[in-house]
Amino acid sequence: RINSVTATQKITSAMKMVAASKLRRAQESAEAARPYADRMERMARSLADSLAGNETAPALMRGTGKSDTHLMLVATSDRGLCGGFNSSIVRAARARIHELESEGATVKLFLVGRKGREQLQRDYGSQIIESQEGMGMRGAGFAEAAAIAANITNRFEAGEFDVCTIYYNHFKSAVSQVVTPLQLIPFTSAGAETDSEAEASDAVYEFEPGEEEILADLLPRNIAVQIFRALLENGASEQGARMMAMDNATRSA
């Protein structure tokens, strides 16, 4: 038994060091993506505010006028041994599914990551419209995020859902990851403005071409950027959670 536990300790210690090495790169990627994603969201918000209530605004901003069918994009990892990283996301998704279904809404699931599919398939298998795996192994790229965004946009234009929300873990530190829901369709402002942002939003801008044409191109791109950001945050959160889980396992051994 002593030999067995000692061998396990060597494995968990090695996995902790590997996760720590990957965490630095993943954290740098996530932090580098935040300013661009924030500015993209702020630009879209500024344009959307100028077209609020306008019937000519793009459908991705106006929505369908209903909230009968919800598409939940649940992003998890492909591998385990990372503490409560996956279970926290799935738990939040389950709670939201139960809430929506109790209100009479229809819920569809778009799953990114093998662990999320394994945990949700038993209870909600008939509601899964698509599942993708393999991004966590090689690291998320913008091409993958853009493909997911295009898939979601096409489904929205086909009338398959009314509201789309992504669930992911926002990276705070190696010991803290926060499950975050972000509504992608219809476009909604995320969070409160700072004083400098509020001052900038009060300025008067002239757009060339018009707001509708800019938003028609900007909103699909913003969806891809926000999904890419969520995948990068997930990647950093996964490595942080795995590093702490393996550290605890090594100490226990």
Side-chain angles (χ1 to χ4, degrees):
R1 182 175 176 84
I2 291 174
N3 290 335
S4 174
V5 174
T6 302
T8 301
Q9 183 182 25
K10 291 180 181 178
I11 295 173
T12 57
S13 178
M15 290 184 67
K16 173 194 171 184
M17 290 188 291
V18 171
S21 175
K22 292 182 177 180
L23 172 61
R24 178 176 299 179
R25 296 193 299 270
Q27 182 177 352
E28 290 174 353
S29 298
E31 291 176 346
R34 289 174 185 172
Y36 184 84
D38 289 340
R39 292 298 180 95
M40 174 72 77
E41 191 274 336
R42 193 189 311 171
M43 173 65 73
R45 181 175 60 205
S46 175
L47 284 164
D49 289 344
S50 66
L51 289 176
N54 193 331
E55 295 182 355
T56 63
L60 290 175
M61 189 189 85
R62 291 184 289 106
T64 61
K66 303 180 295 181
S67 59
D68 298 334
T69 304
H70 287 252
L71 176 63
M72 293 176 57
L73 176 58
V74 183
T76 57
S77 69
D78 291 315
R79 297 184 298 169
L81 297 177
C82 48
F85 169 77
N86 292 305
S87 59
S88 61
I89 299 174
V90 172
R91 192 181 308 115
R94 286 181 182 272
R96 182 57 176 162
I97 292 172
H98 178 73
E99 180 183 352
L100 290 172
E101 290 183 340
S102 65
E103 297 172 355
T106 301
V107 178
K108 298 180 179 181
L109 298 175
F110 190 124
L111 305 180
V112 177
R114 181 166 58 88
K115 289 299 178 180
R117 180 178 57 80
E118 290 177 350
Q119 296 186 45
L120 292 170
Q121 190 170 25
R122 184 178 62 181
D123 296 329
Y124 306 104
S126 61
Q127 296 166 249
I128 299 175
I129 62 173
E130 189 151 345
S131 176
Q132 296 189 7
E133 302 177 12
M135 294 186 187
M137 299 293 186
R138 59 183 181 276
F142 184 75
E144 289 88 349
I148 295 173
N151 190 326
I152 292 174
T153 303
N154 292 336
R155 291 180 181 274
F156 175 72
E157 293 174 350
E160 295 187 19
F161 63 88
D162 302 311
V163 180
C164 177
T165 306
I166 184 172
Y167 283 77
Y168 67 98
N169 258 329
H170 180 76
F171 179 80
K172 294 284 188 181
S173 66
V175 297
S176 176
Q177 301 90 33
V178 181
V179 179
T180 304
L182 175 63
Q183 182 173 308
L184 300 174
I185 301 174
F187 173 78
T188 181
S189 175
E193 293 181 334
T194 62
D195 293 338
S196 60
E197 290 174 354
E199 181 179 349
S201 65
D202 291 336
V204 178
Y205 294 95
E206 292 184 0
F207 296 101
E208 179 64 34
E211 292 95 327
E212 296 91 341
E213 188 174 346
I214 295 176
L215 270 178
D217 179 74
L218 188 65
L219 288 178
R221 188 174 306 182
N222 180 63
I223 293 174
V225 169
Q226 299 304 330
I227 292 175
F228 182 50
R229 175 186 183 177
L231 295 178
L232 291 177
E233 295 282 352
N234 249 17
S237 298
E238 177 190 352
Q239 298 303 331
R242 179 171 291 112
M243 185 182 74
M244 296 306 301
M246 292 301 100
D247 181 59
N248 291 334
T250 303
R251 293 174 185 271
S252 297

